[in-house]
């Protein structure tokens, strides 16, 4: 049966990047469709009526929303020798716990770095560093979060790396100075073809931030 | 799985929909467990030790393994104890169940609790916004006994613990009829069906006590 895989996405989205990486890891051919979030397309509104957000994975006409859910779906539908999630229930729960942690904590604090001023900005920066340090501690001396193989937690976090230069610029700090092991991990990840293909250049993101702020009505 | 060495402990709180749903799953699957009630907000040293990052219930301790986050605990329970499966087998159905579960604990909870209580745009607007979200669930359960189909599942436990047995008590305390029968016939039918399930019946917080608690929390939010 002919597989039809469409991804509705937005190039700077660290959430969309996860799904791109997962599909690339599984060698799944997909039709990438860039979305204009300020002029939402009929297909986006039809396929994600609840949130009207990207990424949306459309597999043979059926939509799957939320990037972490998409990753798990991709892992289950296209099983391979190198699964994204462990099969052991406990290890699986642990991986998903960290995915959930990344989802709840990283974006919110990071956004205050480029999107807020004064006290809020400082608080965001402080929280962001703390969160990265927690993740760095979880990584420990492992090659990847899951151990020797690249997987779910790595994919959940790596998209943010394309935004690190922007955070550093707007936050006036060095992430490498704060979390050297995490940066080393990120550099290992971007060597993978699936990641290199899916992450935009840091420069492009940094250039984009002022435009994004304008679109969002932030000074 | 041999039972002799098995130890299952659950740290919970009577009013928490998050720990109640875990109890539903354990009861449905006939898993013997030791329940440890937290006297929130006075968190025990055990809770802080087992969940240092979030310091929240529920925490499931299975032998030497610590499980956190109610959705993850439910999935873990389903994978370990095979009786009465609660998640669908089909990957797409599973993805949908996970999607709606997230929707309930995020959108429904935010709109139907915090936003409603603060009602910055006015109470009627807040009620309408909550109802709009609930309408998605009304559609989801249409034509089915349970969200899970013929039998109670993951999504029923999440929706049940959160909506009729938690948020609805807040709404009642505020004098709001959030899900009237004429507008939400399917959800109301589902609630009645759910209340008949034995595994659920023992996990419903006492109504008056819950109304009192939710009303108090609402007051705190309003005056913050």
């Amino acid at each position: 049966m002919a597989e039809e895989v469409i991804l509705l996405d937005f190039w700077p989205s660290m959430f969309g990047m996860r799904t791109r990486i997962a599909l690339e890891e599984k060698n799944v051919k997909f039709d990438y469709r860039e979305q204009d979030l300020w002029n939402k397309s009929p297909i986006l509104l039809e396929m994600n009526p609840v949130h009207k957000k990207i990424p949306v994975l459309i597999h043979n006409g059926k939509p799957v929303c939320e990037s972490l859910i998409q990753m798990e779906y991709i892992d289950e539908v296209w099983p391979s020798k190198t699964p994204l999630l462990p099969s052991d229930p406990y290890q699986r729960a642990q991986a998903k716990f960290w995915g959930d942690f990344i989802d709840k904590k990283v974006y919110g604090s990071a956004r205050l770095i480029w999107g807020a001023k004064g006290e809020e900005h400082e608080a965001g920066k402080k929280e962001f560093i703390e969160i990265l340090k927690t993740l760095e501690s979880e990584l420990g001396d492992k090659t990847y979060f899951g151990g020797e193989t690249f997987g779910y937690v790595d994919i959940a976090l790596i998209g943010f790396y394309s935004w690190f230069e922007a955070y550093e610029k707007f936050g006036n700090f060095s992430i490498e100075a704060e979390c050297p092991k995490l940066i080393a991990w990120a550099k290992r990840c971007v060597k993978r073809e699936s990641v290199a293909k899916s992450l935009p250049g840091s420069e492009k993101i940094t250039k984009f931030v002022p435009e994004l702020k304008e679109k969002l009505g932030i000074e | 799985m041999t039972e002799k060495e098995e130890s299952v402990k659950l740290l919970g709180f009577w009013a928490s929909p998050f720990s109640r749903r875990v109890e539903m799953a354990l009861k449905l699957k006939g898993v013997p467990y030791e329940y440890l009630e937290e006297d929130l907000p006075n968190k025990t040293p055990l809770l802080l030790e087992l969940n240092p990052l979030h310091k929240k219930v529920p925490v499931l301790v299975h032998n030497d393994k610590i499980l956190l986050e109610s959705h993850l605990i439910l999935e873990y329970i389903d994978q370990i104890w095979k009786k009465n499966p609660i998640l669908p087998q089909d990957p797409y159905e599973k993805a949908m169940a996970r999607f709606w579960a997230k929707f309930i604990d995020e959108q429904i909870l935010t709109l139907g609790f915090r936003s409603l209580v603060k009602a910055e745009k006015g109470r009627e607007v807040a009620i309408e916004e909550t109802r709009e979200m609930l309408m998605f669930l009304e559609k989801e359960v249409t034509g089915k006994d349970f969200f899970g189909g013929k039998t109670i599942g993951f999504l029923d436990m999440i929706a049940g613990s959160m909506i009729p047995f938690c948020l609805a008590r807040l709404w009642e305390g505020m004098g709001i009829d959030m899900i009237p029968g004429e507008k939400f016939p399917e959800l109301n039918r589902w609630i009645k069906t759910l209340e008949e399930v034995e595994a659920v019946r023992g996990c419903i917080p006492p109504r008056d006590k819950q109304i009192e608690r939710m009303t108090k929390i609402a007051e705190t939010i309003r005056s913050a």
Side-chain angles (χ1 to χ4, degrees), chain A residues 49-51 62-66 69 72-73 76-77 89-90 92-93 96-98 100-101 103-104 134, chain B residues 53-54 65-69 72 75-76 79-80 91-92 94-96 98-100 102-103 107 136:
Chain A
V50 178
H51 303 298
K62 298 204 285 194
V64 180
C65 305
E66 301 296 325
I69 294 176
E72 207 170 347
Y73 176 80
E76 286 166 13
V77 171
Y90 181 57
R92 207 179 174 88
K96 288 175 77 168
F97 171 83
W98 287 106
D100 178 70
F101 176 81
D103 250 12
K104 286 199 174 96
T134 302
Chain B
L53 209 52
H54 299 305
K65 301 186 175 86
I66 302 163
L67 284 305
L68 309 171
E69 298 298 315
L72 302 182
E75 294 213 29
Y76 176 82
Q79 287 161 61
I80 300 290
Y92 188 74
K94 234 190 279 196
M96 289 313 293
R98 288 173 180 142
F99 173 82
W100 291 118
K102 189 167 192 240
F103 171 75
Q107 271 68 38
F136 284 111

Side-chain angles (χ1 to χ4, degrees), chain B residues 9 14 17 54 73 78 87 101 108 119 124 132 140 146 148 158 181 186 189 191-192 194 201 214-215:
Chain B
K9 287 190 178 63
W14 69 270
H54 299 305
I73 296 173
D78 204 38
L87 271 151
I108 303 271
E124 282 312 311
E132 243 181 78
E140 234 355 77
F146 296 99
I158 289 172
E186 301 293 329
R189 174 191 51 78
I191 292 168
K192 283 202 181 66
L194 198 64
R201 259 186 302 180
M214 296 303 281
T215 307

Side-chain angles (χ1 to χ4, degrees), chain A residues 73-86:
Chain A
Y73 176 80
I74 289 165
D75 204 32
E76 286 166 13
V77 171
W78 291 282
S80 65
K81 282 177 238 135
T82 46
L84 304 178
L85 275 158

Side-chain angles (χ1 to χ4, degrees), chain A residues 146-178:
Chain A
E148 283 307 302
T149 38
F150 180 77
Y152 182 91
V153 183
D154 307 288
I155 301 174
L157 186 59
I158 195 60
F160 288 93
Y161 180 63
S162 63
W163 281 75
F164 276 12
E165 193 187 281
Y167 299 153
E168 287 178 324
K169 177 175 174 210
F170 286 89
N172 196 24
F173 69 122
S174 158
I175 297 177
E176 185 154 19
E178 301 284 348

